[in-house]
Amino acid sequence: MLLMEKVAMLTRQNETFALAMIIESRGSTPSHVGKMIVHPDGTIEGTVGGGLVEYFVIDECVQAIQKGKSKIVEYKLNKHAKDGIQMNCGGTVRVFIEVYKSRPELVLAGAGHVAIALSKLADFLEIPYRVVDDREGYCTKERFPNATRLIVDEDIGKATLAANLNEKSYLVIVTKDQDEIVLKTALQFPCSYIGMLASKRKAIQILQKLKDEGFSEELLERVSSPIGVDINSETTQEIAISIIGEIIKLSKETSPIKVKQLNR
């Protein structure tokens, strides 16, 4: 597989990685052209010439991935030059490091009116989304034509498990009456965001019940409820906009996401 084909595949799979590309070289260097994929753990595919310069580029790529910012780096391959690295080639090489960040993956637990409004916004923003529900007549391709997955099980806890929640998942709980079951399941996974559409009173009751059942305060603080940016939303569409707004804001943060604590 050609390297750029692999870049396209990783992008389709919504993976986070960096692409390092030699954009300029002067004098003697290990390579005048080269491209290299660097994964978050430092593993690579391709090369920018090998040796010490490649070692430095890999390190810069990992740092760029962690910060979520692309950059250009330059190395003097001369151990006797000021700011040079321990190489004898004598040339200079510049490398562009482009960071490909995974997009948030929206998981809609519930397939009702709010979920449909959220899915339309996700389509507009090109955010991939999955839908989980316990009702076959609601969780359908007709209602959610662009969903990457539709997961239906009369036991919504099992459906939530099948959604394969992970650190990319932004879970929005908008079920008809199964919020507690979905929440119990979701708290087992490292979701970037867990939001539950509920009144303050209902949210307090559910979280208190989970606390009484043994869920730790630290774990429950991961839950965002009430949900969404405060725009005094009233209609279904306005509620969906406020929720997507909150998800966009959190997904843009470069530091670890801090979800809202329940306003008790």
Side-chain angles (χ1 to χ4, degrees):
M1 180 183 294
L2 296 176
L3 194 73
M4 296 311 293
E5 290 177 345
K6 186 60 179 290
V7 169
M9 185 186 78
L10 290 172
T11 303
R12 287 194 299 271
Q13 293 174 344
N14 202 20
E15 298 292 340
T16 294
F17 64 98
L19 176 67
M21 181 185 306
I22 295 174
I23 56 173
E24 183 182 356
S25 64
R26 299 188 299 273
S28 178
T29 64
S31 180
H32 294 285
V33 295
K35 301 183 185 72
M36 179 173 68
I37 293 170
V38 181
H39 299 278
D41 63 357
T43 57
I44 65 171
E45 299 175 70
T47 182
V48 291
L52 191 58
V53 66
E54 185 160 290
Y55 171 83
F56 280 110
V57 170
I58 293 170
D59 185 60
E60 290 283 358
C61 285
V62 171
Q63 292 183 47
I65 290 170
Q66 291 171 349
K67 294 178 181 178
K69 293 183 179 180
S70 301
K71 64 194 298 185
I72 294 175
V73 294
E74 181 174 314
Y75 301 100
K76 298 176 183 177
L77 313 185
N78 184 347
K79 63 183 179 182
H80 301 295
K82 182 181 179 181
D83 301 325
I85 63 175
Q86 294 295 309
M87 293 183 70
N88 296 311
C89 301
T92 302
V93 63
R94 299 181 78 207
V95 178
F96 174 50
I97 297 172
E98 183 176 10
V99 175
Y100 290 73
K101 294 177 63 177
S102 61
R103 296 166 292 166
E105 294 180 346
L106 191 61
V107 181
L108 304 175
H113 297 301
V114 175
I116 288 177
L118 284 166
S119 71
K120 290 179 179 178
L121 289 173
D123 288 339
F124 177 72
L125 295 167
E126 298 183 344
I127 297 174
Y129 68 93
R130 287 165 280 169
V131 186
V132 171
D133 204 279
D134 58 340
R135 300 166 294 178
E136 288 188 3
Y138 281 73
C139 193
T140 65
K141 197 68 176 175
E142 290 70 30
R143 289 165 64 85
F144 301 95
N146 297 311
T148 56
R149 284 188 69 191
L150 297 172
I151 308 166
V152 184
D153 194 298
E154 60 182 13
D155 182 339
I156 200 166
K158 291 182 179 179
T160 305
L161 279 174
N164 297 322
L165 301 173
N166 55 53
E167 67 279 354
K168 301 174 191 174
S169 302
Y170 286 70
L171 173 66
V172 180
I173 303 173
V174 286
T175 71
K176 67 182 191 305
D177 55 10
Q178 306 280 352
D179 296 355
E180 184 181 334
I181 297 173
V182 173
L183 189 53
K184 282 183 179 180
T185 306
L187 286 171
Q188 303 174 47
F189 299 94
C191 301
S192 284
Y193 174 84
I194 300 175
M196 180 172 62
L197 182 63
S199 65
K200 288 185 179 180
R201 181 179 179 183
K202 180 180 178 181
I204 289 171
Q205 290 175 340
I206 290 176
L207 294 183
Q208 185 59 53
K209 184 177 180 183
L210 294 186
K211 185 177 180 180
D212 293 342
E213 291 178 9
F215 285 81
S216 68
E217 190 73 30
E218 181 182 5
L219 198 58
L220 296 176
E221 284 177 354
R222 294 175 54 207
V223 182
S224 181
S225 188
I227 190 174
V229 176
D230 186 5
I231 56 173
N232 295 319
S233 53
E234 294 183 358
T235 67
T236 298
Q237 290 74 20
E238 290 171 347
I239 292 169
I241 289 170
S242 75
I243 294 170
I244 288 291
E246 183 169 76
I247 288 173
I248 291 172
K249 179 178 182 295
L250 291 174
S251 68
K252 297 295 183 182
E253 293 180 357
T254 55
S255 57
I257 291 174
K258 297 178 180 179
V259 297
K260 297 188 304 181
Q261 296 185 24
L262 181 67
N263 184 14
R264 295 182 185 275

